[in-house]
Amino acid sequence: MNGFLNDLRFGLRQLATKPGFAVAAILTLALGIGANTAVFSVLNDYLLKPLPYPHSEQLTNIYTQMPKFGGNMDMWGSLPLYDDLRDHVNAFSSVAAFSTTSANLRTDGRANVISGVKATGSLFKTLGVKPLLGRTFTMANDRPGQGSVVVISYHLWQSKFGGDPNIIGRAIKLNEDIYRIRAVMPPGFEFPSSDIGYWAPLTIKPAELKAHPMAMEYQLIGRLAPHATRAELKPQIEAAATRIRSMIEPARLKHSGYRLDTQPLADRHIDSKALTLLLLQAAVLLVLLIACINVASLLLARILGRGHEMAMRSALGASRAMLARQLVVEAFCLAVPGGLAGIGIGWLCLRLIRLASSQAGNASIDMGWRVGLFALCVVCGVGLLVSVLPIFHLAKTDLQNVLQEGGRTASGSRGSRRVRGALVAGELALATALLASAGLLLHSFVNVEHVDPGFNINNMLTARVFVPPQAVSASNLSDTPEHREQLKHSMNAFRVDLLRHVRALPSVEYAAVGAWVPLTGLWIDGWDIQGHPRGNGPPPKAIVNPVTSEYFKTLGIPLLKGHGFTSDTATGLPTAVVGRNFADKYFNGHAIGKRIAHYRFLHKKEEWLRIVGVAAPIKVRGLDKTNPTYQVYENVARMAITRTRLFVRTSIPPDMLIKTLRQTVQKINPVAALYNIKTMRQVVAGSLSNKQMVVLLLLAFGGIALALAVVGVYGVMSYAVGQRRAECGIRLALGALPENLLWLIIKDGLKLLGIGLITGLGLAVIFGFVLSSRLFGIAPYDPITLIGTVIVLAAITLLACWLPARRAARLDPAIAMMEQ
């Protein structure tokens, strides 16, 4: 221990003698460690951190699959399935069913649309989470007449009720119904997503437990019993599927391939977001590696100047192991403060992420113990990595010879110059690969930005209109065909009234209603197509968008053949407009007059729609999606759908119309609310925001890598000039021109640049193929991007070489030779 403490004190004194070197090295490491810590914090929160539920490994999602009808899609379940699992699958200690919804919460006389969950009373028992205040609802609240209670989220409690500690028992109005707040959940409870503001009982009527077992309207989740295993669960789930199949009518549905599947809730797929985070983590690790190379190069230069000191310590009895330990301690004297500063930088980066993010869930990102352990491992790795080269050089040095020659051999070693040159070439190679990768993604992003979405994004506003069903139809609606039909007619009347008032506004050119906003959502359904027998496989799929008559004019979508819908009401024969891709795929371009129908596996009766128009294709899934998208437009008046998305094309800047639209909606129905208001430009920009963030971050990381690499080049060239001052003086004294000396120094830098660029371009091509799935309209080896990277890197590197070379060319020969 005494030896270590002595080494620590000596190392700190050594660094104190060169404070500029110490500060530069610590800041270099802090930058790399901070970036890694911040990215890993987000990666940990998304992919690694356990779910915030006790024994979350016991929680299991339950899915329905029907290969013959829906392919291998994971679908929701039905209330009869929930009832069966609850009563017969004893491998589960608890099972819950739930569905997401929205409600109009009126506070301070204002309507606020919030997302919520309708769930069976077993939900909180299944999740195992206790409330912060009050007590959650139970299965007793599933019975009719017992469901007028609600549990609210911590965020809603703070934002809408000011954190009132006496909130329990308070009456609130959701969709014109009175609920009493029964509990407040703790901060961080976000089920099933971060935007949920309330949980209300799913009132189950006895008749609903005998509904069609394939009416998949609810998500199902179960908790394994304490001593049950997933191996025990599997046959019980298969038995449940067998019981459900026996209930299926008509008989043709028995051949749907109906089965149940389960998946641990804690299982997290490597989706596009996870891949993006892994990509960023790899990028910042490269930045850290370059930072380590820089610091290792600086430490190697210091060791070359301390050869005589090391030789003297060896002569006084210090072993090679003791000298190596000293070098490791000195490296950690840089790595530890660099790590502490890096954690501070990472914390600041997370603060910026929280401020910049519009998602409440990101507020939960913190530096837990996993992030701390990661930072500790990074610091240890950095300390060992930057000390390897000095220790290797020490092992190869003849200290006795150094002592006899006064240290000149150590400081002028050709091998050490080669090592430092190789380090700098490696930095340049990594910087080249990182910059080229960022350039490829930037080029790809620019290509995506210039893709025609198929609709006109100028002067168009879109907003969600929420109106409680009770506000447009009879109260106490029951789930019967008659009341569903009544609700459909009432919602259609509201839409017609809404469009009449909006179209009457002076600055409105066109107005329409649709179910989805392009690039933000979609509804895919199966279809029966005239002249195309489906056979035993799943039906053809197409995106469905229920719209009103002026939808195509409002969005500026050209109708290539036929016409659109002639009325906003359900008059005349049922019709449809299809996209060109759909018409080409199934009707060889001749779709007008042909018929299609929703594939209804629960009902034999099908309503055939006659195709009256063919619309130009638009981008629905994303601007960078190249696969054809099949689209079908229907008259929303014929569908039992409550979703209302308003589209308005204006003659003035759309933002100027928002206040007027709000007043218009309130005038039509005082309890209706206009929310999620965006211009179509904002919609398109939002669909690209994640790609833009990745590009900006990679460009930032590439810029940092370039700066570090250039600093490394400058340091090597400056050191080389310092070692060759006498040589330069002699050359000048013998008649060499300054420009000759300038070229002599720059030529050495060009060798390093050439090696770094050649190696870096090879890495860049490899990285490009790794990124190929994220590139749009550009090859992984795009020559323009690679040439641009080479030009930028070469120009800045040559500047870093020219500055020391110019200093050498301006030497006074007499002074330089006297220093020798």
Side-chain angles (χ1 to χ4, degrees):
M1 177 61 71
N2 288 334
F4 170 76
L5 292 176
N6 289 332
D7 288 341
L8 180 60
R9 284 192 290 268
F10 183 78
L12 292 174
R13 286 199 302 269
Q14 283 289 322
L15 293 178
T17 61
K18 297 284 186 179
F21 159 79
V23 170
I26 289 172
L27 289 179
T28 299
L29 294 177
L31 193 62
I33 294 173
N36 274 272
T37 303
V39 175
F40 182 79
S41 297
V42 181
L43 182 64
N44 170 64
D45 183 79
Y46 185 72
L47 201 60
L48 304 176
K49 190 168 70 174
L51 298 175
Y53 315 115
H55 303 289
S56 60
E57 72 281 356
Q58 297 177 346
L59 293 173
T60 301
N61 284 318
I62 305 153
Y63 299 109
T64 298
Q65 288 190 339
M66 294 189 299
K68 297 294 180 65
F69 291 150
N72 292 321
M73 296 171 56
D74 288 332
M75 305 177 188
W76 293 357
S78 60
L79 284 180
L81 174 59
Y82 159 73
D83 193 44
D84 184 276
L85 295 172
R86 183 191 61 192
D87 294 341
H88 298 100
V89 179
N90 55 29
F92 283 136
S93 63
S94 180
V95 179
F98 65 94
S99 64
T100 55
T101 184
S102 297
N104 206 334
L105 170 66
R106 299 189 67 82
T107 57
D108 300 327
R110 295 185 58 187
N112 304 275
V113 180
I114 58 174
S115 298
V117 166
K118 288 279 190 177
T120 57
S122 54
L123 177 66
F124 297 102
K125 176 185 175 183
T126 303
L127 295 175
V129 179
K130 295 182 179 179
L132 180 68
L133 298 175
R135 55 193 178 93
T136 58
F137 51 81
T138 65
M139 294 179 67
N141 297 107
D142 291 346
R143 297 193 297 269
Q146 302 295 318
S148 296
V149 295
V150 68
V151 174
I152 63 173
S153 69
Y154 181 86
H155 175 72
L156 185 67
W157 178 49
Q158 293 291 322
S159 60
K160 300 300 181 184
F161 302 105
D164 180 7
N166 301 313
I167 192 72
I168 303 303
R170 178 172 170 178
I172 61 173
K173 186 178 285 189
L174 294 173
N175 286 354
E176 301 306 298
D177 291 330
I178 302 298
Y179 288 80
R180 292 200 175 272
I181 297 177
R182 182 160 174 160
V184 176
M185 297 308 291
F189 179 77
E190 301 171 346
F191 184 87
S193 59
S194 61
D195 61 337
I196 298 299
Y198 74 92
W199 296 263
L202 176 63
T203 303
I204 302 176
K205 301 168 185 174
E208 292 177 329
L209 294 177
K210 299 179 181 180
H212 200 290
M214 295 176 70
M216 289 162 287
E217 301 172 340
Y218 300 97
Q219 299 181 63
L220 300 177
I221 184 173
R223 176 178 285 275
L224 285 176
H227 302 293
T229 65
R230 297 196 180 277
E232 295 174 17
L233 174 65
K234 184 176 180 181
Q236 295 186 32
I237 287 291
E238 291 174 350
T242 301
R243 290 190 294 271
I244 295 297
R245 279 195 296 269
S246 68
M247 300 166 57
I248 295 176
E249 295 292 344
R252 69 187 181 99
L253 296 181
K254 294 181 183 292
H255 304 291
S256 64
Y258 181 96
R259 62 173 182 249
L260 299 178
D261 192 14
T262 62
Q263 180 191 39
L265 186 65
D267 281 5
R268 303 182 185 180
H269 296 294
I270 304 297
D271 56 13
S272 59
K273 184 176 180 180
L275 288 173
T276 298
L277 292 173
L278 291 171
L279 168 66
L280 293 176
Q281 189 69 68
V284 292
L285 283 173
L286 288 180
V287 172
L288 180 60
L289 180 58
I290 294 174
C292 290
I293 291 174
N294 252 0
V295 174
S297 181
L298 291 173
L299 286 176
L300 181 59
R302 280 176 55 83
I303 289 299
L304 293 176
R306 294 169 58 190
H308 188 68
E309 171 209 321
M310 292 294 176
M312 284 292 295
R313 296 183 65 188
S314 177
L316 292 174
S319 65
R320 296 273 181 157
M322 294 173 63
L323 296 176
R325 186 184 66 191
Q326 175 64 51
L327 295 179
V328 172
V329 169
E330 290 183 17
F332 272 87
C333 286
L334 297 174
V336 171
L340 293 175
I343 292 174
I345 291 174
W347 180 82
L348 288 174
C349 290
L350 288 182
R351 293 283 295 177
L352 292 175
I353 290 174
R354 294 190 189 104
L355 292 174
S357 175
S358 59
Q359 298 180 354
N362 284 335
S364 65
I365 300 174
D366 55 18
M367 290 187 173
W369 67 267
R370 280 185 177 80
V371 178
L373 181 61
F374 172 79
L376 178 62
C377 292
V378 169
V379 169
C380 292
V382 166
L384 293 175
L385 189 60
V386 299
S387 61
V388 165
L389 281 175
I391 292 174
F392 180 78
H393 172 76
L394 179 65
K396 294 292 185 180
T397 302
D398 185 346
L399 295 178
Q400 185 177 0
N401 186 49
V402 170
L403 187 61
Q404 292 173 354
E405 297 189 9
R408 290 189 300 271
T409 303
S411 63
S413 167
R414 177 179 298 179
S416 64
R417 290 198 298 269
R418 287 178 177 174
V419 170
R420 295 196 70 203
L423 290 176
V424 169
E427 286 184 283
L428 290 172
L430 294 175
T432 301
L434 198 51
L435 271 179
S437 300
L440 286 172
L441 290 176
L442 176 62
H443 196 160
S444 174
F445 179 77
V446 171
N447 289 344
V448 173
E449 274 194 318
H450 287 85
V451 169
D452 181 8
F455 51 87
N456 186 355
I457 67 174
N458 297 315
N459 287 355
M460 186 161 63
L461 194 72
T462 177
R464 181 81 181 271
V465 183
F466 182 82
V467 55
Q470 298 91 329
V472 294
S473 188
S475 59
N476 299 319
L477 289 177
S478 59
D479 190 20
T480 63
E482 294 77 14
H483 283 102
R484 286 197 297 269
E485 191 69 17
Q486 179 185 348
L487 177 60
K488 182 178 78 171
H489 289 306
S490 300
M491 286 300 300
N492 286 333
F494 171 79
R495 292 190 190 100
V496 170
D497 199 23
L498 172 67
L499 289 176
R500 179 172 58 83
H501 281 82
V502 171
R503 289 168 181 166
L505 296 176
S507 55
V508 172
E509 296 180 348
Y510 299 105
V513 163
W516 305 103
V517 178
L519 306 177
T520 64
L522 48 88
W523 166 24
I524 299 178
D525 204 356
W527 293 88
D528 278 334
I529 300 174
Q530 185 182 33
H532 290 265
R534 185 177 55 80
N536 293 325
K541 301 290 196 305
I543 294 170
V544 186
N545 195 357
V547 300
T548 53
S549 60
E550 287 191 356
Y551 181 83
F552 300 101
K553 290 181 180 179
T554 305
L555 271 76
I557 302 174
L559 286 171
L560 306 178
K561 294 181 181 178
H563 58 81
F565 305 114
T566 57
S567 173
D568 290 332
T569 58
T571 58
L573 296 174
T575 58
V577 174
V578 299
R580 187 185 64 197
N581 293 329
F582 189 93
D584 292 343
K585 170 84 173 172
Y586 297 108
F587 301 108
N588 198 27
H590 303 289
I592 302 297
K594 302 297 174 56
R595 299 194 307 161
I596 58 176
H598 286 276
Y599 180 72
R600 304 297 187 193
F601 60 81
L602 293 185
H603 309 285
K604 287 184 178 180
K605 183 180 179 181
E606 295 174 316
E607 182 179 50
W608 287 92
L609 309 175
R610 187 170 62 88
I611 298 174
V612 296
V614 176
I618 66 172
K619 294 289 184 178
V620 178
R621 299 176 184 269
L623 292 177
D624 57 341
K625 304 302 180 185
T626 55
N627 293 332
T629 302
Y630 305 119
Q631 300 167 49
V632 175
Y633 302 91
E634 289 188 68
N635 189 339
V636 69
R638 289 189 170 275
M639 305 185 70
I641 183 170
T642 58
R643 181 183 295 270
T644 299
R645 173 68 72 169
L646 180 65
F647 298 87
V648 181
R649 182 165 298 283
T650 70
S651 58
I652 60 174
D655 291 338
M656 297 176 62
L657 192 64
I658 294 177
K659 183 177 179 181
T660 304
L661 283 177
R662 287 188 188 275
Q663 293 172 346
T664 302
V665 170
Q666 290 283 303
K667 179 181 177 182
I668 298 171
N669 195 314
V671 298
L674 198 69
Y675 71 107
N676 199 13
I677 307 171
K678 296 179 181 179
T679 67
M680 194 55 74
R681 285 192 175 276
Q682 290 172 329
V683 170
V684 174
S687 71
L688 298 174
S689 59
N690 288 336
K691 295 179 182 295
Q692 185 181 37
M693 181 62 69
V694 172
V695 170
L696 291 176
L697 286 175
L698 277 181
L699 283 174
F701 297 152
I704 294 171
L706 175 61
L708 292 175
V710 169
V711 168
V713 172
Y714 178 81
V716 166
M717 298 308 298
S718 295
Y719 179 81
V721 168
Q723 293 296 311
R724 300 174 66 179
R725 282 176 63 86
E727 175 193 340
C728 292
I730 293 172
R731 288 178 179 272
L732 289 171
L734 294 176
L737 297 174
E739 51 265 32
N740 299 134
L741 202 57
L742 189 72
W743 170 247
L744 180 67
I745 301 298
I746 290 179
K747 185 170 63 174
D748 292 339
L750 288 176
K751 291 178 183 178
L752 298 179
L753 177 62
I755 296 171
L757 286 178
I758 291 172
T759 308
L761 288 175
L763 289 175
V765 173
I766 295 173
F767 288 5
F769 279 102
V770 172
L771 296 172
S772 58
S773 62
R774 296 178 170 273
L775 301 180
F776 179 81
I778 185 174
Y781 47 84
D782 177 60
I784 296 177
T785 302
L786 296 180
I787 291 172
T789 302
V790 168
I791 291 173
V792 170
L793 200 65
I796 298 178
T797 304
L798 285 176
L799 178 62
C801 294
W802 178 76
L803 292 174
R806 185 186 64 166
R807 190 168 66 248
R810 293 181 175 180
L811 281 174
D812 186 327
I815 296 176
M817 287 188 292
M818 285 177 62
E819 292 177 353
Q820 177 65 12

